[in-house]
Amino acid sequence: MSEATIDLVGGQFWIALALGIVLLTPLRHPGLRRWVFAAVNVAFLVLLLKVSPLVVGASLLITFGLLKGVEQRGGGVFLWVLGVAITVLFLIHKRPDLGRLLPVQVNPILAAVSFSYVALRLVELLRAVSQKQHPAPHIAEMINYLIPFHMLPAGPIQSYQDFRAAPSVPAALSMRSALEGTERIVLGLFKKYVLAYLIQRTFLTGFHSEGLYFVLEMQLFYLWLFLDFTAYSDIAVGAGRLMGIETPENFDRPLSARNMIQFWERWHISLSLFIRRNLFIPIQLGLQRRISIHPLWIASVAFAVSFLLCGLWHQLSWSFLAWGGFHAIGLILCNLYANYLKKQLKRSGVKEYLQSRRARVLATFLTYQWVAFSLVLIAYPWNGGGA
Amino acid sequence: MRIAGKPVPQPSAREGEKPLSLWELAWRVVWMTVQLTLVFWLAQRGAFFFYQGF
């Protein structure tokens, strides 16, 4: 957890949202909507980064040109250029010491746009275009997919497939939709600036605590992160609803997940699906074709590689690598245990086990503790500093 | 709008969506106001603590 992302207290986000609602709500022409939303997204970046619109425009045009090249040449040199550019920018973003070697300081820009998320969207887009699943998008579409201003702070990472499938003209904004959208935004603000803030101020010490208080802090840190992170998601979903831009839900009651597989189906859902699409399944299929070992072992390797990389995506550090590894162990154990239960209890026994209230309470408790401990790995002041 | 005596469903109306009663609207607005009041009250006391993103 290193860089500050988009400041919701700053006016840019709210100006862009107001513009988006006022300009998009009456528009029923798909092409015009696309361009207007793209203009709002670019205007937001210009306001946020305080750079010339020419710089933003040129960066987007270069990306668009490279994507077109990937489409026309079926990959080749353009795919390599874009792939290397994403990797280099990602490394600079995660290791500011590398960025300092450059003549132009790009770190503040990469941090401001939360490049981790933009990079994943670019990967999705590159994969779709290079594998000919979809044609290269129209430039306005590319802008709206890569840098939707309301999803920049903390996702979600919409899949390119879902983005393409979204209706180009949404249903007219009803009174109920407007109310629900506003409620989500207000709830997000309340969760972030009241609930999460009070927990942080009242209880959290950055894990400088000891004994029983450390255990309590572990529980509350997880709750704090949940409130803070889901707050961004609430604001993004609410903003999307008000503007008529499809914005996927990113959380589904993760605190009550009863195992680690279920946890990842409920926490940061868009990242979890990205990992499944782009890491887990390709690794699993690749290994199945090459090695003849038990599918459970193959799945275990796929979990391990996917979640170690997931840890490094969050931050290039030993603590995040350990966090990813700890989650991978949880997922592997869960998968092995599920397989064991199926063999031992058969279908009716498994059904009974899943319905058992005692088993559910214990499993939910253990899952909560597993996740809470994993967060200690990344937030504990290993070098004596703050979390 | 009616065609051949039947109402044409509006694109904004979702299936099974009940119209909002004034009472429901009022309490939801009040709850939002309470939440926002707390947000701004804490903000005035310098409460903003920023999420450190990835």
Side-chain angles (χ1 to χ4, degrees):
Chain A
M1 299 186 197
S2 59
E3 84 254 5
T5 55
I6 291 161
D7 175 3
L8 288 176
V9 184
Q12 299 97 333
F13 183 87
W14 305 107
I15 291 170
L17 179 59
L19 268 177
I21 296 168
V22 170
L23 296 175
L24 290 173
T25 305
L27 276 184
R28 312 307 297 163
H29 185 277
L32 213 51
R33 276 185 67 85
R34 205 159 54 194
W35 274 111
V36 167
F37 188 47
V40 171
N41 288 323
V42 171
F44 174 71
L45 270 199
V46 170
L47 281 172
L48 180 77
L49 303 174
K50 297 185 176 65
V51 292
S52 156
L54 288 176
V55 174
V56 176
S59 314
L60 291 167
L61 274 174
I62 292 169
T63 313
F64 179 68
L66 289 169
L67 270 173
K68 275 284 177 197
V70 171
E71 184 189 40
Q72 281 162 15
R73 298 281 177 92
V77 71
F78 292 98
L79 185 63
W80 273 99
V81 170
L82 256 177
V84 169
I86 296 168
T87 312
V88 169
L89 287 173
F90 184 78
L91 288 174
I92 292 172
H93 176 49
K94 295 294 175 183
R95 292 290 302 267
D97 48 328
L98 289 175
R100 280 183 214 112
L101 301 174
L102 296 173
V104 183
Q105 291 308 300
V106 290
N107 281 91
I109 293 175
L110 296 175
V113 298
S114 298
F115 186 74
S116 309
Y117 291 97
V118 178
L120 295 192
R121 289 194 197 101
L122 261 168
V123 169
E124 281 269 311
L125 195 48
L126 258 186
R127 203 169 68 98
V129 175
S130 66
Q131 294 180 352
K132 305 225 178 284
Q133 292 164 357
H134 296 286
H138 183 279
I139 187 162
E141 266 183 333
M142 183 200 78
I143 294 169
N144 296 339
Y145 178 66
L146 290 182
I147 49 164
F149 81 92
H150 64 302
M151 292 191 234
L152 281 183
I157 310 149
Q158 194 177 24
S159 79
Y160 189 57
Q161 181 104 9
D162 288 352
F163 173 79
R164 298 278 304 200
S168 46
V169 180
L173 186 67
S174 67
M175 172 76 172
R176 186 178 281 271
S177 277
L179 181 69
E180 285 172 358
T182 312
E183 277 178 331
R184 283 299 289 271
I185 293 174
V186 173
L187 178 68
L189 292 171
F190 181 68
K191 278 158 88 174
K192 177 171 176 58
Y193 293 120
V194 178
L195 300 180
Y197 168 76
L198 288 177
I199 288 176
Q200 187 266 333
R201 279 299 294 266
T202 316
F203 298 106
L204 303 186
T205 69
F207 288 106
H208 288 283
S209 51
E210 286 175 0
L212 267 182
Y213 195 86
F214 188 92
V215 179
L216 175 71
E217 186 169 356
M218 200 171 95
Q219 318 300 317
L220 290 171
F221 185 82
Y222 178 17
L223 183 61
W224 166 78
L225 185 66
F226 166 77
L227 288 168
D228 201 285
F229 198 0
T230 54
Y232 277 96
S233 202
D234 287 328
I235 293 168
V237 171
R241 182 170 284 192
L242 289 178
M243 294 185 296
I245 305 292
E246 208 147 286
T247 308
E249 291 286 349
N250 215 14
F251 294 89
D252 178 21
R253 300 162 291 126
L255 300 184
S256 59
R258 64 178 289 165
N259 59 54
M260 288 306 291
I261 290 177
Q262 199 176 67
F263 169 79
W264 277 104
E265 286 166 355
R266 294 172 169 211
W267 174 275
H268 209 339
I269 298 166
S270 61
L271 174 66
S272 176
L273 291 174
F274 177 92
I275 292 170
R276 186 187 294 182
R277 277 192 306 274
N278 296 291
L279 288 170
F280 184 84
I281 292 175
I283 294 169
Q284 196 181 32
L285 291 178
L287 287 175
Q288 269 172 3
R289 285 192 200 112
R290 287 173 181 82
I291 311 168
S292 55
I293 53 169
H294 196 282
L296 273 178
W297 288 112
I298 288 179
S300 301
V301 173
F303 274 130
V305 176
S306 304
F307 275 83
L308 287 172
L309 288 173
C310 172
L312 292 177
W313 172 79
H314 284 85
Q315 196 178 89
L316 295 176
S317 68
W318 290 110
S319 54
F320 268 91
L321 189 68
W323 173 86
F326 195 69
H327 274 264
I329 292 169
L331 288 161
I332 292 166
L333 289 177
C334 175
N335 199 31
L336 293 174
Y337 186 58
N339 191 61
Y340 169 79
L341 281 181
K342 270 182 214 160
K343 275 189 180 165
Q344 293 295 314
L345 303 178
K346 308 293 179 218
R347 184 174 285 186
S348 59
V350 170
K351 197 176 172 191
E352 202 176 306
Y353 171 81
L354 289 174
Q355 284 171 348
S356 156
R357 186 180 161 81
R358 195 179 293 174
R360 192 174 64 235
V361 170
L362 181 65
T364 306
F365 173 77
L366 289 176
T367 306
Y368 191 103
Q369 297 312 310
W370 194 276
V371 178
F373 182 75
S374 76
L375 295 173
V376 175
L377 295 173
I378 54 175
Y380 186 80
W382 296 106
N383 300 320
Chain B
M1 190 169 76
R2 298 175 84 85
I3 296 174
K6 288 183 180 173
V8 173
Q10 294 299 300
S12 59
R14 281 178 284 166
E15 210 174 314
E17 190 176 273
K18 286 182 199 163
L20 271 178
S21 71
L22 199 60
W23 175 245
E24 191 190 354
L25 179 67
W27 91 255
R28 285 165 78 163
V29 170
V30 167
W31 173 227
M32 278 197 283
T33 311
V34 170
Q35 290 178 91
L36 278 180
T37 306
L38 281 166
V39 168
F40 286 111
W41 179 67
L42 281 174
Q44 281 185 335
R45 295 163 63 97
F48 287 136
F49 171 78
F50 297 106
Y51 164 72
Q52 299 290 299
F54 297 115

